[in-house]
């Protein structure tokens, strides 16, 4: 079991080395002449003024929150799906209750208009 | 040395390699060298395939739009990608002022490596797989979920308002579409009874492909994985006409190329996953006698699914962000929950009887029919509401409309 | 060989932890937290609990870390460097913390003595399969399983009650 992950460890090293090599190669081969205009912030050709701070819409946070709840639900359903073949019928009913309670959570979010973008 | 079978090409090559190495190295070292070579191959395979895929996609899109694709470099333009790579290598890497240097540089690395790590569990043949992890299906979901983090870091560290806004929208999209993707993924896992990718393929080899047993799941997985990658019609990530280049505005040269590369590789990686989970992976006729056919079948299926992705890309317009999220949370997630519950009960009740295939197929068809009826009902009510609103205020409707 | 990997992961966890506490830039602190969480996932891999490692990456790094970064960006002008988090009495608090740590280690050693050999759990192969069976068993963990779903429902309702936007057509 543990030896499976050796390949993943080595692969992680190679997978990080590939972009590093590519970027190093790019910085060697490319010209390097920074000037003030090139390194300025991009704002469709205008000078940027004001700090880089955007009015953060709380909707982004709400979507991440709803996703988190469903993420944990998914994680708890994975072992159930893996053991599904040998589980008897009442296990299916238990899992159905689990899913229905979380569907109720989704319906709550929907009714309270938390899933609108605007 | 046993005789060299051309039918079992990769097996024979592996045997010759192992014997040659065993001649001068001890066994653990042979193991480590094998693992290193395996990791190198797993890194190289997607990079090699992407070279052909980029070209193929450009030519196919060209044909859809009634023009030839690139055809200058080499016969039929097959070497087009090489000048592109050379161009990107020799561009100046401009690092804007005031960026957070550490995070700015880490983001493309994380983005590419998260995609390459998925290829460790992609089954090419019965014995050709990086590593048959016993949590294979969960592993690829976990690894693609830290690609979204890389995008967030890229957007924030670029010190640019557009990049930040784009990064937020992208993360909201990617994170939302993971839910129906995983819920649809659970159905093949249930049918196969294991999370191992090779186990899922072998279970399909034993019975019929899961596209017949669970077409609703395949459709949900197809749609949500298209959105996960950020391809059209969900390509708000890099909508050139809307938010410039999205989160990679401030990246140039090879760093931009890394994001670009990561996105292309991810595009056909999920095609490979769709082929593995639903279309039977490397399974096909005569694959037991001639194991060489395994990777060939897998690549064919992967490219068929990829072609369908390209087809959809050139045909459909881009979806707006609020429609995108509505589509996910109000249609795909409830549908996938209902699908999961229905499939759970049906599979358990049918068991292993002879009528299994037809019962599952009929229940999926009933789900399709039910979905369309509900959608039709919702559409009809929306139209009726609009009609009544328009009739209630005939004068102002003209002014506002 | 395994010790080297273990030390690497421990360094990731501790380094990430120190980075969270001492970093001036709050997004760097969040990135250090992510490094620390990767280290924990690595430790799960060393314990041969691949499922837990994947869950750690999926839930902690893929959801909770993103949520934390969103929260940080939402409540703060993120380009302002914050003050250094130390106050003037940090030497005393460091000494007290070390004494407390030693006290805890000593007390725990009295109850569960340290050993150098781990107990081997009787693993019958596929971990996730066994976990699934245990989760659904009526004499197993099915009640915590259902309670977990009610807990998640409560968490969603509570968080939405606090955080959502109130629209004009709702009576509160």
């Amino acid at each position: 079991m543990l030896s499976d992950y050796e390949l993943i460890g080595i692969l992680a090293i190679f997978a990080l080395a590939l972009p590093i090599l590519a970027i190093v190669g790019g910085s060697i081969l490319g010209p390097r002449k920074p000037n003030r205009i090139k390194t300025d912030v991009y704002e469709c050709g205008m000078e940027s003024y004001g700090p880089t701070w955007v009015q953060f819409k709380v909707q982004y946070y709400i979507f991440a929150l709803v996703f988190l709840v469903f993420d944990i639900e998914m994680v708890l359903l994975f072992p159930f799906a893996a053991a599904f073949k040998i589980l008897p019928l009442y296990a299916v009913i238990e899992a159905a209750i689990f899913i229905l309670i979380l569907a109720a959570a989704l319906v709550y979010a929907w009714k309270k208009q938390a899933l609108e973008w605007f | 040395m046993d005789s060299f079978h051309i039918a079992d090409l990769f097996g024979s090559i592996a045997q010759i390699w192992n014997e040659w190495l065993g001649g001068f190295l001890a066994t653990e070292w042979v193991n480590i060298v094998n693992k290193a070579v395996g990791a190198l191959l797993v890194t190289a395979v997607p990079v090699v395939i992407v070279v052909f895929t980029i070209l193929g996609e450009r030519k196919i899109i060209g044909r859809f739009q009634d023009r030839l694709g690139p055809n200058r470099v080499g016969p039929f333009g097959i070497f087009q990608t090489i000048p592109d790579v050379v161009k990107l290598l020799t561009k100046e890497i401009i690092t804007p002022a005031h960026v957070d240097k550490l995070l700015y540089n880490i983001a493309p690395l994380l983005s590419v490596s998260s995609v390459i790590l998925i290829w460790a569990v992609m089954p090419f043949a019965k014995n050709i797989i990086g590593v048959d992890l016993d949590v294979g299906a969960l592993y690829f979901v976990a690894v693609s979920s830290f690609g979204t983090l890389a995008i967030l870091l890229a957007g924030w560290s670029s010190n640019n308002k557009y990049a930040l806004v784009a990064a937020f929208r992208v993360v909201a999209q990617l994170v939302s579409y993971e839910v129906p993707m995983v819920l649809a993924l659970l159905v093949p896992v249930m049918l196969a009874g294991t999370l191992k990718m090779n186990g899922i393929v072998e279970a399909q080899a034993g019975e019929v492909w899961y596209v017949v047993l669970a077409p609703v799941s395949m459709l949900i997985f197809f749609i949500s994985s298209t959105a996960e990658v950020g391809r059209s019609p969900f390509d708000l990530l890099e909508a050139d006409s809307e938010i410039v280049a999205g989160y990679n505005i401030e990246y140039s040269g090879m760093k931009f190329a890394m994001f670009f590369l990561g996105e292309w590789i991810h595009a056909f990686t999920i095609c490979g996953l769709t082929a593995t989970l639903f279309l039977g992976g490397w399974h096909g006729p005569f694959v037991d006698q001639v194991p060489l056919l395994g990777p060939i079948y897998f690549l064919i299926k992967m490219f068929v699914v990829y072609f369908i992705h390209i087809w959809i890309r050139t045909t459909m317009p881009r979806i707006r962000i609020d429609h995108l999220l509505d589509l996910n949370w109000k249609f795909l997630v409830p549908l996938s929950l209902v699908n999961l519950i229905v499939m759970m009960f049906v599979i358990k009740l049918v068991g292993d009887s002879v009528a299994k295939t037809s019962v599952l197929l009929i229940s999926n068809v009933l789900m399709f029919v039910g979905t369309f009826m509900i959608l039709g009902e919702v559409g009809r009510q929306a139209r009726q509401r609009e009609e009544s609103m328009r009739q209630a205020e005939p004068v102002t409707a003209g002014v506002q409309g | 060989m395994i010790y080297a990997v273990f030390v690497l992961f421990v360094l990731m966890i501790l380094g990430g932890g120190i980075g969270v506490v001492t970093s001036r830039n709050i997004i760097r602190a969040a990135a250090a937290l992510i490094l620390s969480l990767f280290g924990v996932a690595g430790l799960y891999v060393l314990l041969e609990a691949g499922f837990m490692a994947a869950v750690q990456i999926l839930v902690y790094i893929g959801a909770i870390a993103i949520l934390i970064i969103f929260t940080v960006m939402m409540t703060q002008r993120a380009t302002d460097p914050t003050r250094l988090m130390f106050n003037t009495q940090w030497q005393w608090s460091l000494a007290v913390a070390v004494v407390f740590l030693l006290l805890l280690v000593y007390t725990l050693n009295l109850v569960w003595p340290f050993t150098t050999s781990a107990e081997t759990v009787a693993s019958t192969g596929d971990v996730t399969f066994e976990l699934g069976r245990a989760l659904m068993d009526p004499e197993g963990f099915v009640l915590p399983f259902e309670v977990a779903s009610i807990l998640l429902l409560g968490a969603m309702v509570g968080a939405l009650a606090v955080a959502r936007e109130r629209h004009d057509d709702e009576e509160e």
Side-chain angles (χ1 to χ4, degrees):
Chain A
M1 294 296 142
L2 188 56
S3 62
D4 287 345
Y5 292 92
E6 284 174 19
L7 187 114
I8 302 222
I10 303 181
L11 181 64
I13 298 176
F14 282 153
L16 281 173
L18 172 73
I20 291 179
L21 281 174
I23 293 180
V24 164
S27 54
I28 293 178
L29 288 176
R32 191 184 293 256
K33 305 186 191 63
N35 59 32
R36 199 193 68 92
I37 306 233
K38 270 201 270 191
T39 58
D40 213 352
V41 171
Y42 179 74
E43 195 141 345
C44 295
M46 304 189 304
E47 295 274 328
S48 148
Y49 62 92
T52 310
W53 179 58
V54 186
Q55 178 66 37
F56 184 89
K57 277 164 50 131
V58 78
Q59 283 309 110
Y60 299 113
Y61 182 80
I62 301 280
F63 281 116
L65 184 76
V66 178
F67 163 67
L68 176 62
V69 170
F70 276 92
D71 204 14
I72 302 182
E73 171 194 356
M74 279 158 22
V75 155
L76 282 171
L77 281 175
F78 259 106
F80 162 73
F84 183 75
K85 278 201 162 172
I86 55 120
L87 286 175
L89 187 63
Y90 61 79
V92 174
I93 299 181
E94 289 161 6
I97 297 177
F98 181 80
I99 297 179
L100 284 173
I101 295 180
L102 281 157
L106 180 68
V107 167
Y108 174 78
W110 191 339
K111 283 290 179 231
K112 290 292 179 182
Q113 298 176 328
L115 298 174
E116 307 288 325
W117 179 253
F118 295 118
Chain B
M1 181 172 90
D2 294 334
S3 52
F4 183 87
H5 294 285
I6 192 75
D8 189 11
L9 181 69
F10 293 107
S12 310
I13 293 181
Q15 211 179 356
I16 299 176
W17 169 262
N18 273 334
E19 283 174 7
W20 178 67
L21 268 188
F24 58 88
L25 283 179
T27 321
E28 326 72 71
W29 282 106
V30 170
N31 240 347
I32 293 184
V33 168
N34 271 343
K35 290 221 154 75
V37 168
L40 201 61
L41 282 175
V42 169
T43 316
V45 163
V47 174
V48 165
I49 297 184
V50 83
V51 167
F52 295 110
T53 314
I54 292 185
L55 175 76
E57 172 148 357
R58 285 165 77 169
K59 286 197 82 72
I60 294 179
I61 292 181
R63 292 294 170 151
F64 269 105
Q65 294 171 347
D66 204 18
R67 58 180 172 90
L68 302 171
N71 63 348
R72 293 272 168 202
V73 188
F76 300 111
I78 47 179
F79 298 132
Q80 176 66 39
T81 317
I82 300 181
D84 281 341
V85 170
V86 171
K87 172 193 83 159
L88 282 168
L89 266 178
T90 55
K91 279 225 192 246
E92 176 179 355
I93 298 187
I94 303 175
T95 307
H98 308 303
V99 300
D100 192 344
K101 290 240 172 2
L102 181 69
L103 296 178
Y104 181 79
N105 289 321
I106 284 186
L109 306 179
L110 274 185
S111 179
V112 173
S113 47
S114 82
V115 172
I116 291 187
L117 278 174
I118 299 182
W119 281 85
V121 291
M122 196 76 89
F124 278 91
K126 197 169 178 122
N127 299 323
I128 306 181
I129 185 173
V131 52
D132 200 6
L133 271 189
D134 54 349
V135 287
L138 183 57
Y139 166 80
F140 98 77
V141 177
V143 166
S144 49
S145 81
F146 80 78
T148 65
L149 194 70
I151 294 179
L152 196 58
L153 290 178
W156 185 82
S157 64
S158 295
N159 195 32
N160 185 328
K161 301 183 187 65
Y162 295 111
L164 195 59
V165 170
F168 286 157
R169 294 198 331 184
V170 162
V171 167
Q173 170 187 334
L174 291 185
V175 129
S176 301
Y177 276 90
E178 261 184 58
V179 177
M181 188 167 95
V182 175
L183 287 175
L185 170 66
L186 281 176
V187 174
V189 169
M190 279 199 307
L191 282 169
T194 172
L195 286 175
K196 300 188 186 203
M197 293 301 243
N198 234 350
I200 296 181
V201 175
E202 281 171 7
Q204 290 182 70
E207 46 182 350
V208 71
W209 291 353
Y210 290 157
V211 66
V212 173
L213 292 183
V216 178
S217 308
M218 173 162 183
L219 205 57
I220 297 175
F221 187 79
F222 188 81
I223 298 177
S224 45
S225 59
T226 313
E228 263 297 298
V229 175
R231 285 178 77 77
S232 240
F234 301 104
D235 67 348
L236 227 50
L237 298 193
E238 40 161 38
D240 287 326
S241 54
E242 294 193 27
I243 199 160
V244 199
Y247 58 90
N248 45 22
I249 293 176
E250 298 283 4
Y251 285 90
S252 56
M254 267 330 250
K255 293 183 190 162
F256 168 73
M258 287 298 112
F259 276 118
F260 191 63
L261 184 75
E263 189 187 315
W264 278 97
I265 295 182
H266 206 179
F268 70 80
T269 304
I270 46 135
C271 296
L273 287 167
T274 315
T276 306
L277 289 169
F278 293 100
L279 291 177
W282 45 258
H283 174 68
F286 304 120
V287 79
D288 284 327
Q289 292 92 340
V290 187
L292 181 59
L293 284 180
I296 296 182
Y297 284 143
F298 177 70
L299 286 174
I300 290 178
K301 289 175 194 175
M302 186 165 87
F303 284 124
V304 164
V305 179
Y306 191 59
F307 178 74
I308 299 181
H309 272 115
I310 299 179
W311 195 352
I312 295 182
R313 173 185 179 169
T314 51
T315 316
M316 292 187 60
R318 195 174 286 144
I319 296 189
R320 219 169 65 183
I321 182 84
D322 56 337
H323 291 163
L324 193 93
L325 293 167
D326 274 354
L327 176 73
N328 181 50
W329 291 109
K330 301 187 182 172
F331 175 63
L332 279 181
V333 168
L335 179 63
S336 55
L337 286 172
V338 165
N339 173 46
L340 189 64
I341 295 182
V342 166
M343 293 299 279
M344 267 184 350
F345 276 110
V346 170
I347 296 175
K348 205 33 109 171
L349 290 173
V350 165
D352 256 334
S353 59
V354 177
K356 179 175 181 181
T357 310
S358 34
V359 169
L360 281 171
L361 192 56
I362 290 176
S363 52
N364 274 297
V365 166
L366 285 176
M367 269 197 286
F368 268 126
V369 167
T371 310
F372 279 124
M373 278 172 31
I374 295 180
L375 282 180
E377 193 61 35
V378 167
R380 198 163 54 83
Q381 281 179 2
R383 271 196 299 277
Q384 270 181 349
R385 237 191 346 251
E386 230 179 78
E387 275 303 313
S388 58
M389 264 180 16
R390 197 173 306 152
Q391 282 172 5
E393 335 173 343
V395 177
T396 53
V399 170
Q400 286 170 1
Chain C
M1 176 61 180
I2 290 200
Y3 290 125
V5 176
F6 174 69
V7 166
L8 172 70
F9 285 135
V10 166
L11 283 177
M12 273 168 78
I13 297 178
L14 292 178
I18 296 179
V20 171
V21 174
T22 62
S23 173
R24 279 182 189 264
N25 184 343
I26 200 159
I27 298 288
R28 291 246 180 126
L33 179 68
I34 292 171
L35 183 68
S36 185
L37 294 170
F38 267 119
V40 175
L43 279 188
Y44 279 131
V45 164
L46 284 178
L47 286 169
E48 304 202 4
F51 179 73
M52 288 308 296
V55 165
Q56 172 88 4
I57 295 185
L58 177 61
V59 172
Y60 264 103
I61 298 179
I64 294 184
I66 292 184
L67 209 59
I68 289 179
I69 293 184
F70 272 176
T71 314
V72 160
M73 288 182 191
M74 188 163 66
T75 60
Q76 162 129 356
R77 301 174 73 98
T79 50
D80 287 350
T82 54
R83 304 177 283 111
L84 198 56
M85 293 297 177
F86 291 160
N87 55 21
T88 50
Q89 295 166 325
W90 65 274
Q91 290 97 337
W92 281 108
S93 42
L94 183 63
V96 167
V98 168
V99 165
F100 188 61
L101 175 68
L102 290 174
L103 201 64
L104 262 180
V105 165
Y106 175 70
T107 318
L108 281 175
N109 197 18
L110 288 179
V111 178
W112 293 302
F114 291 149
T115 58
T116 48
S117 66
E119 295 176 23
T120 45
V121 182
S123 68
T124 51
D126 205 352
V127 171
T128 321
F129 181 81
E130 294 297 324
L131 186 61
R133 194 151 58 161
L135 267 182
M136 292 290 161
D137 200 0
E139 288 121 35
F141 297 100
V142 72
L143 192 58
F145 183 66
E146 302 293 341
V147 168
S149 78
I150 299 185
L151 186 64
L152 287 171
L153 172 67
M156 171 106 93
V157 169
L160 283 178
V162 170
R164 68 186 168 93
E165 291 185 7
R166 307 293 193 251
H167 291 262
D168 296 332
D169 51 348
E170 284 179 31
E171 321 100 36
E172 196 46 54

